[in-house]
Amino acid sequence: MDTERNLATLRRELDAICDAQPFVTRFMARNLLTGDDVGRGENEETPSGSTRKTSIMMAALKAVSEGRLDLDEKIVYEQRLAEEVASGMIRFMTPGLVLSLRDAITGMMVLSDNVCTKMVLERLTLAEVDGFCKTLGMVNTHHRFLIPPLALPIDHSLKSVTTTSAADQVLLLQTILDAQTSPKAQARLGCTAELCAWALQVLKNQVLRYGLRSRLPFETVTASKSGRGKRGRMDAGVVYRNGAPFFIVTAYTDKVPQEMPDGTPGYTMSLETIGRIARGCWDHFPVQ
């Protein structure tokens, strides 16, 4: 009964957080201790932003497991890789820099570096990554572009970018988490146990603290990937408590205005909303 009351309280609080803003917020949260889910528009297709990169990483690791890619492959940073890139730091560095594929995946995830994303995706195909997602059951996830064009209008269509859903990202994160101990989950991902463990550690190495981490206790461990797009901000991750996975939360804001009525940038309130959703889960999901 207490669990039901907590869930009802949480649903009301999360709905109030979302209703307080003029933009669309879609989310899904799963208590990993009880299996309870709460959500809002969780099966609706929405711009993925850089949360798409978790599935790119896993598709690449599947290819490594199959012997088609080598994490030790050396990749030379060429100036062409910085074209149309607006995230990360390698675009500011001197061409000729050499990274391993392992480091490119790491850069793609922990700093969302899109030079690194290009390095990884040039060794795969969009069809391959998209097929990986569909095979896993991510039915609302569609990989459409290597890198979204910088000149996209704010009101671009869904078909102009890679899209996903909050539920799809929960499925992906749950499978990665399960794969730490489950051979069945490892087989679903097509990855060795060692690479599944490395993937989770890469997600834990995320250095960006806005979004879902912004209102959690400072030392809280998360395994997450955030994102930004012309239409909103997003974040998706596993939150740990007392050294163990506590809950998964994936949140996507959409149709966010450039400026709020009081002059606050829209993206600021977008990230604040995601942080409040994560904090609500932290406060109201029961700890067993």
Side-chain angles (χ1 to χ4, degrees), residues 139-152:
V139 295
N140 290 309
T141 300
H142 307 285
H143 286 265
R144 294 188 172 97
F145 299 96
L146 189 71
I147 298 292
L150 292 181
L152 271 178

Side-chain angles (χ1 to χ4, degrees), residues 242-277:
N242 299 325
F246 180 25
F247 62 88
I248 298 173
V249 60
T250 63
Y252 291 78
T253 59
D254 194 12
K255 300 180 181 177
V256 178
Q258 290 290 93
E259 186 175 282
M260 306 299 284
D262 65 355
T264 300
Y267 77 85
T268 300
M269 292 311 301
S270 173
L271 293 169
E272 173 69 2
T273 297
I274 294 171
R276 287 182 178 275
I277 289 171

Side-chain angles (χ1 to χ4, degrees), residues 95-113:
L97 177 72
V98 179
L99 282 75
S100 65
L101 177 58
R102 179 184 293 102
D103 290 340
I105 293 173
T106 299
M108 174 179 74
M109 300 301 295
V110 304
L111 276 176
S112 211
D113 194 300

Side-chain angles (χ1 to χ4, degrees), residues 164-186:
T164 191
S165 69
D168 278 4
Q169 294 298 317
V170 169
L171 170 62
L172 177 59
L173 290 167
Q174 180 76 71
T175 308
I176 295 170
L177 195 59
D178 291 346
Q180 304 310 300
T181 56
S182 167
K184 183 177 180 180
Q186 294 160 16

Side-chain angles (χ1 to χ4, degrees), residues 29-50:
R30 172 171 296 164
N31 185 334
L32 294 166
L33 305 181
T34 66
D36 292 315
D37 291 338
V38 293
R40 178 181 176 119
E42 63 268 34
N43 292 307
E44 296 174 7
E45 191 175 342
T46 189
S48 72
S50 288

Side-chain angles (χ1 to χ4, degrees), residues 11-249:
R11 288 191 179 97
R12 287 194 298 270
E13 179 172 318
L14 297 186
D15 280 338
I17 290 168
C18 297
D19 290 340
Q21 303 303 332
F23 47 78
V24 176
T25 302
R26 304 176 176 97
F27 71 85
M28 182 173 176
R30 172 171 296 164
N31 185 334
L32 294 166
L33 305 181
T34 66
D36 292 315
D37 291 338
V38 293
R40 178 181 176 119
E42 63 268 34
N43 292 307
E44 296 174 7
E45 191 175 342
T46 189
S48 72
S50 288
T51 65
R52 71 190 179 110
K53 294 173 184 176
T54 304
S55 55
I56 296 171
M57 172 176 68
M58 298 314 300
L61 295 182
K62 179 176 184 290
V64 171
S65 295
E66 294 170 348
R68 295 186 290 112
L69 290 179
D70 181 356
L71 287 177
D72 292 322
E73 177 193 352
K74 301 303 180 186
I75 306 172
V76 178
Y77 166 45
E78 304 170 34
Q79 187 60 47
R80 66 177 181 83
L81 294 171
E83 296 173 3
E84 288 288 307
V85 166
S87 63
M89 62 175 287
I90 293 182
R91 59 194 165 127
F92 301 119
M93 302 184 79
T94 306
L97 177 72
V98 179
L99 282 75
S100 65
L101 177 58
R102 179 184 293 102
D103 290 340
I105 293 173
T106 299
M108 174 179 74
M109 300 301 295
V110 304
L111 276 176
S112 211
D113 194 300
N114 271 343
V115 169
C116 291
T117 305
K118 285 185 176 183
M119 289 176 172
V120 177
L121 277 177
E122 285 187 352
R123 282 146 184 83
L124 301 167
T125 66
L126 285 174
E128 180 178 359
V129 179
D130 196 63
F132 169 82
C133 293
K134 300 300 188 297
T135 299
L136 199 62
M138 301 170 68
V139 295
N140 290 309
T141 300
H142 307 285
H143 286 265
R144 294 188 172 97
F145 299 96
L146 189 71
I147 298 292
L150 292 181
L152 271 178
I154 294 173
D155 60 349
H156 65 76
S157 69
L158 288 178
K159 290 186 177 180
S160 298
V161 293
T162 290
T163 52
T164 191
S165 69
D168 278 4
Q169 294 298 317
V170 169
L171 170 62
L172 177 59
L173 290 167
Q174 180 76 71
T175 308
I176 295 170
L177 195 59
D178 291 346
Q180 304 310 300
T181 56
S182 167
K184 183 177 180 180
Q186 294 160 16
R188 289 191 67 198
L189 292 169
C191 290
T192 65
E194 293 76 15
L195 287 176
C196 289
W198 185 75
L200 186 64
Q201 185 58 53
V202 169
L203 287 165
K204 287 181 179 179
N205 291 343
Q206 171 69 256
V207 299
L208 303 176
R209 288 193 170 272
Y210 50 71
L212 71 85
R213 299 172 70 177
S214 63
R215 285 184 166 265
L216 298 176
F218 185 75
E219 297 300 330
T220 301
V221 174
T222 66
S224 61
K225 183 70 196 79
S226 60
R228 65 175 179 172
K230 290 292 182 71
R231 288 175 37 162
R233 297 296 176 100
M234 50 287 290
D235 212 342
V238 181
V239 176
Y240 288 69
R241 191 167 189 165
N242 299 325
F246 180 25
F247 62 88
I248 298 173
V249 60

